[in-house]
Amino acid sequence: MEVRKLDAPLGAEIVGIDLRKPVSDSQFEAVAKAFAENGVIVFRAQDITPQQHIDFSRRFGELEVLKFYAQYLHKDHPEIFVVSNIVENGKSLGLPDAGRVWHTDVSYKGEPSLGSLLYAREVPHREGKPLGDTMFATMISAFDALPTDMQSKLSNMTASHRLDEKRYTVDLKTQKERGKRAQLTDEQRKMIKDVHHPIARTHPVTGKKCLYINELFTVAIDGLDPTESDELLAQLCQHATQQKFIYRHRWAVGDLLMWDNCSTQHLAVGDYAPTDRRLMHRTTVRGSVPF
Ligand code: SIN
């Protein structure tokens, strides 16, 4: 097994591992180390079943069963969240527009996800080129690149995160409709509440500071009036997602990507037509209270 850094501000590829087979403790240790150090890990040409995907994911911790996405969970494996634009017999196989706004998974919970593992089953192509890339930005470099006075100011601040349905459908900057999606049920809405996380979050393994805000789930900077909060949030979100912090992954069927939900945020590029089939399976590893 070998870890090869990607030619990008974050990420590494691991070669020489077959995820159909149980991963030994020493291999797992090396994967976990590479994961903490690089934020995104790419495994190519894997041919895994949903159960093998789950088994490998469970090495990192317990898996989330995403209550807000109940209708998009795999019917036999609720630990798998299905991201797909495919409709069969009038029914969507998965959530078609997942991740179209920069975010980090489950930051709307008091214990957000440690990391997610996304497996490509069908990838759309046009003129031989894959579509539906996923972009990842490093929040370690984003924090390090802030002026020191801003770093000190943020070090004592928290932000509120919430699953806000409107953010999926309306672009806050332009107020333009992004698209429609199925509404939450009343029961799901009752589960929504604000949680508060440090903006300068400490990575639980490396101890590095990560800029922990995102456009999809961060709704306010605590302690500021609404105008100041909106302005600072917009400034930080714009800073965090600059080109110089980004790795853009071009998918091939069989790729399994895992990303760190503390040190990175991500965005799914919606550049394919509804008829271009895309089918991805995601597991989401539980995390701990941010500090
Ligand atoms: C996600 O945000 O988990 C989905 C990413 C993707 O489909 O590329």
Side-chain angles (χ1 to χ4, degrees):
M1 194 188 107
E2 194 191 326
V3 180
R4 295 181 188 158
K5 287 214 177 261
L6 300 176
D7 182 18
L10 72 162
E13 178 175 350
I14 292 189
V15 295
I17 190 164
D18 179 351
L19 299 175
R20 285 175 302 186
K21 300 185 186 142
V23 170
S24 70
D25 288 347
S26 63
Q27 272 182 325
F28 176 72
E29 240 176 68
V31 173
K33 182 169 178 289
F35 178 53
E37 285 170 359
N38 296 287
V40 171
I41 297 291
V42 183
F43 302 94
R44 296 190 203 274
Q46 300 293 328
D47 182 14
I48 51 172
T49 62
Q51 191 58 54
Q52 286 161 340
H53 182 180
I54 290 170
D55 291 344
F56 179 60
S57 306
R58 280 214 177 109
R59 298 295 300 266
F60 296 88
E62 272 182 62
L63 302 185
E64 295 274 0
V65 174
L66 299 169
K67 294 196 183 75
F68 291 110
Y69 301 93
Q71 62 273 53
Y72 305 115
L73 303 180
H74 191 290
K75 67 177 178 23
D76 302 321
H77 302 278
E79 303 88 341
I80 291 183
F81 166 47
V82 181
V83 176
S84 184
N85 60 348
I86 301 170
V87 178
E88 272 175 7
N89 304 322
K91 197 172 174 296
S92 294
L93 283 195
L95 181 62
D97 65 346
R100 298 284 173 84
V101 184
W102 280 101
H103 68 289
T104 168
D105 296 327
V106 204
S107 80
Y108 54 80
K109 275 184 66 173
E111 295 185 348
S113 160
L114 177 147
S116 306
L117 295 92
L118 189 65
Y119 181 57
R121 295 192 165 272
E122 291 191 52
V123 176
H125 281 77
R126 195 173 308 139
E127 288 159 13
K129 283 207 187 112
L131 301 172
D133 296 353
T134 309
M135 303 210 280
F136 297 89
T138 159
M139 292 305 104
I140 297 172
S141 303
F143 185 80
D144 287 349
L146 287 168
T148 42
D149 56 340
M150 179 61 95
Q151 289 181 349
S152 322
K153 173 174 155 176
L154 297 178
S155 292
N156 299 313
M157 296 178 93
T158 58
S160 305
H161 296 240
R162 186 194 315 146
L163 193 145
D164 178 357
E165 278 177 87
K166 215 175 117 205
R167 296 213 171 189
Y168 290 107
T169 48
V170 179
D171 183 325
L172 291 186
K173 282 190 274 277
T174 60
Q175 290 300 312
K176 279 203 188 123
E177 274 223 355
R178 293 187 204 275
K180 301 236 177 294
R181 72 155 63 178
Q183 307 240 310
L184 295 180
T185 61
D186 287 345
E187 205 173 312
Q188 285 170 321
R189 286 205 183 106
K190 273 190 218 137
M191 294 190 285
I192 294 177
K193 60 177 174 46
D194 280 14
V195 295
H196 307 275
H197 297 311
I199 297 176
R201 183 175 171 191
T202 306
H203 192 277
V205 178
T206 63
K208 289 189 177 157
K209 288 286 177 197
C210 307
L211 183 58
Y212 196 65
I213 43 87
N214 66 82
E215 194 186 335
L216 186 56
F217 300 129
T218 315
V219 293
I221 309 269
D222 299 331
L224 299 186
D225 73 44
T227 310
E228 273 182 318
S229 164
D230 286 352
E231 278 173 12
L232 182 55
L233 203 46
Q235 184 192 334
L236 293 175
C237 288
Q238 196 268 334
H239 168 82
T241 54
Q242 293 174 77
Q243 195 55 43
K244 62 184 177 185
F245 303 134
I246 292 177
Y247 163 61
R248 180 170 179 146
H249 186 73
R250 291 199 143 178
W251 290 96
V253 169
D255 286 353
L256 176 76
L257 235 79
M258 58 182 298
W259 59 83
D260 184 317
N261 279 314
C262 173
S263 68
T264 72
Q265 47 176 295
H266 59 281
L267 173 82
V269 178
D271 58 355
Y272 51 95
T275 47
D276 296 331
R277 291 169 68 100
R278 187 174 190 266
L279 175 61
M280 317 289 278
H281 279 182
R282 193 185 94 191
T283 52
T284 313
V285 183
R286 284 196 188 167
S288 47
V289 177
F291 56 92

